[in-house]
Amino acid sequence: MSAKTIQPVVEDNTVDHADDIAAIEQIIANVQTAYNTNDADLMTADFTANAAVVNAVGALMVGKDALLEANRQGLAGFLKDQYVRYDVADIVFLRPDIAIAHKVARATTADGALIDLDHAMIALYVLVKENGRWWTAARQNTLVPQAK
């Protein structure tokens, strides 16, 4: 005998998420500002102490200290003269205090003019609301192959 499994749609609609959306969009805007100004502290500020991040080349960093050090090295090194624009693609609230968000990234010039016509990277954020504030608990970056 087999039971039919109904797959749930997990999305919270029990509260107005307007302020939550603005807070999550600000977290992603902070990362963009940090990237474009080489500010490793700002880039790391909205992560939980035990955050896990997989960067665009597949390296896993766990913990805010490891992430801060990687951000310092990257922003002072190979990312120093690179610029980016991030666009929030979607935000879904799984629970009132848990959300996932996707951002897409395009390279820009220093003055913000787009270099990439299509996004060159997509990132998945897992966010949690703790003590009335949103935090990034995990992020996965994935490069998007560009057409030749």
Side-chain angles (χ1 to χ4, degrees):
M1 181 164 104
S2 66
K4 183 175 180 180
T5 302
I6 299 174
Q7 295 174 310
V9 173
V10 180
E11 184 170 6
D12 178 69
N13 296 309
T14 63
V15 298
D16 178 3
H17 286 292
D19 290 342
D20 299 321
I21 291 168
I24 291 168
E25 288 174 340
Q26 185 60 56
I27 286 172
I28 293 171
N30 289 347
V31 176
Q32 176 180 294
T33 297
Y35 189 106
N36 291 337
T37 61
N38 300 311
D39 186 339
D41 291 312
L42 178 60
M43 185 172 277
T44 312
D46 295 314
F47 284 90
T48 62
N50 62 337
V53 173
V54 176
N55 69 17
V57 295
L60 172 64
M61 294 155 287
V62 178
K64 196 167 182 176
D65 292 340
L67 184 55
L68 178 59
E69 183 56 30
N71 288 339
R72 285 181 177 150
Q73 288 180 15
L75 292 172
F78 69 100
L79 299 174
K80 185 176 182 179
D81 296 317
Q82 294 189 30
Y83 304 92
V84 70
R85 185 177 93 190
Y86 294 143
D87 296 307
V88 177
D90 61 39
I91 300 171
V92 175
F93 294 89
L94 303 177
R95 303 278 188 263
D97 61 345
I98 300 173
I100 58 173
H102 289 94
K103 76 175 180 193
V104 294
R106 292 175 175 81
T108 70
T109 63
D111 62 0
L114 288 176
I115 295 171
D116 294 323
L117 298 178
D118 293 320
H119 64 273
M121 187 194 73
I122 187 166
L124 168 65
Y125 282 68
V126 178
L127 301 119
V128 296
K129 191 173 189 180
E130 184 70 25
N131 296 322
R133 184 193 190 290
W134 283 94
W135 298 91
T136 303
R139 188 180 71 207
Q140 167 78 45
N141 298 312
T142 304
L143 293 174
V144 176
Q146 299 299 299
K148 301 268 179 186

